Amino acid sequence: MSFAVKEMLLAVLLLWGLMAPAQAGRHALLIGISDYGDPAIRDLEGPRHDVEALRKVLIGGWGASPGNVRVLLDRGATRGAILGEIEQLAGRVTAGDQVLIYFSGHGTSRYDSTSGLPIPHGSGAYIPWDGIIEGTQGQIMANLLIGNRDLRPRLDQLDRTGAEVLVVADSCFSGNAVRSANLSPTRDFPSRQQVLTITSDPALSGKVGEDVRPPPPPYPYRNISYLSAASDLELAMDIAASLLRQAPTLDSQPHGAFTDALLRVLGGERPADADGDGKLSHAELRLATQALLAERGFQHSPQLLPPAESDPRGQRDRALFATRPAAAVPGNGKAPPLRVALGKGTTALEPLVRQESGMQLVTGGTGDVQVAEEDGQWLLLAGAGDPISRIPAGDAGRALYLLRLHQWVQALMWRQGNANPFGLKLDLVPGERGGNFRYGESLSVRMTAARPVWLVLLDIDSNGGILPLYPNKQAEMNSLAADREIAIHNCAREPEGTDYLIALAFTGHPPLLEQLLGKEKLAFDDPALTAWRTLFADGKDGTAAAVTQIRVIKGEGKCPP
């Protein structure tokens, strides 16, 4: 099974609140490029359907006037036309207006080693209808839409108007498919990066495709939020018509995988109002689309900007809707079982998996966790293809232990998306990394809750070790005041793989909490952990969970001793 990679989908999406002021204007600019003017540029199937689906949502679902929804499709989406339309928007909107700008098409970035272009750090570059892919660096760069050079000045104008804007950017800082080297044995996602043919140009120079990433630049906007489909090291996926049987879309038309997930959440197919307040916040929208993409095996993780550490205005918690829409109905029931797919050479696990009440064996498809044999080892992969861990081939007991761990993690992730009454937040800093960190890159973990709670932070590393990170001393054994932030600083270290950070919140004193003192690792059957797992499995009131992933990727960097 193969999916075409949509190399860039830049979307600036504003969804209108049902209680917006009567005088507020509603404006949309939808841009999609499926057929390019340069015959050397490969066409994409999804963009025209993405644009049409969003147009229907805006007009039919959210009351936009057809006259205020501008569409630039294919040959109408030239570089000049796109920039001109954005400038016109900035000239006619006022404070309180609501704006949508959506761009779907090819793109590249500095981290795209196939492009060889000195695109600025922290900026994507997008190919308009009249873009070219052969020539000197100067010629190709002049025909691109570069975020920092071309879009930033126009968005600054929009920001200064006071119009309310939510930017949904699929692969906004479109990077290399660095995770594609570790794909699932049952699914294949070949890169469709548009290869650029560049001749020598001494006027332009700069190291491109480099391994070291500088810190992300400060977030520049006050009234614009961004929801991107992927981090700067991920590509977004496009579901072509030939693949609709394997990956059906909402309307049975080709779409970007992220856009399809977004439409499903907004339509109520995916529960998203985790705190049950009747509103769908930007943060809840990100969590819901992220979970849906992961479940369907797509290898990119939606990211929300401004990052948590740069959000003094609370833009991440801004509500999309003022009353409860279908999309915001909280979920009910129990977490689904962990779906396990076994590859060739791992059949010894089959009877063990069948005996586990919280697991389901998957045949002929993609599981939440997949086990495959590779070079004399068993490789555990997440559904989206991320490597989890490696163990000696044939070690069924160790494999079952890891599967039980991930069944618990999945149950907590389901709980996070369906019931988070305390406003528990667990964020990685810098947020722009999307959970992808190369060896030696610094990171921080920040957690907080909207009401007084006792907090526990655990790290499940790629080897299955359970490391208690907080509390780890007597002074931390107390409840935390509402909105007090706990920050823990770290560095991405070997080995390559996936760590899960788990925050557990309790309104009452957690049983056996003091047993964490002095422990560097916990066993899965540790009395304290067993008691907490029981509380969460029973769905007890007074508990909440948050989970995030750290994907450690090979690189040249080193952590301090």
Side-chain angles (χ1 to χ4, degrees), residues 283-299:
E284 289 171 332
L285 183 60
R286 183 194 71 84
L287 283 174
T289 53
Q290 181 180 41
L292 188 53
L293 284 168
E295 289 173 11
R296 303 191 74 197
F298 292 105
Q299 292 182 259

Side-chain angles (χ1 to χ4, degrees), residues 360-373:
Q360 176 185 343
L361 193 64
V362 176
T363 57
T366 302
D368 302 310
V369 175
Q370 301 164 76
V371 187
E373 186 172 12

Side-chain angles (χ1 to χ4, degrees), residues 429-499:
V429 180
E432 294 89 344
R433 299 297 192 223
N436 300 301
F437 293 90
R438 288 173 168 158
Y439 293 168
E441 290 186 334
S442 298
L443 62 102
S444 297
V445 183
R446 299 189 180 189
M447 56 180 179
T448 186
R451 58 179 293 184
V453 292
W454 276 263
L455 284 177
V456 173
L457 181 63
L458 305 173
D459 175 16
I460 298 181
D461 66 23
S462 59
N463 294 319
I466 305 174
L467 315 176
L469 301 181
Y470 183 92
N472 57 21
K473 52 188 176 183
Q474 188 64 49
E476 298 171 344
M477 292 288 169
N478 302 311
S479 66
L480 297 174
D483 299 320
R484 180 186 170 189
E485 182 181 89
I486 298 297
I488 298 174
H489 306 286
N490 212 322
C491 178
R493 303 175 185 272
E494 299 183 40
E496 183 181 25
T498 301
D499 282 25

Side-chain angles (χ1 to χ4, degrees), residues 270-276 284 287 291 295 328-336 410-421 545:
R270 181 75 183 195
D273 180 19
D275 60 9
E284 289 171 332
L287 283 174
E295 289 173 11
V329 176
N332 296 305
K334 292 185 177 181
Q410 176 175 283
L412 292 177
M413 293 176 72
W414 180 90
R415 176 78 179 273
Q416 174 184 11
N418 287 268
N420 185 9

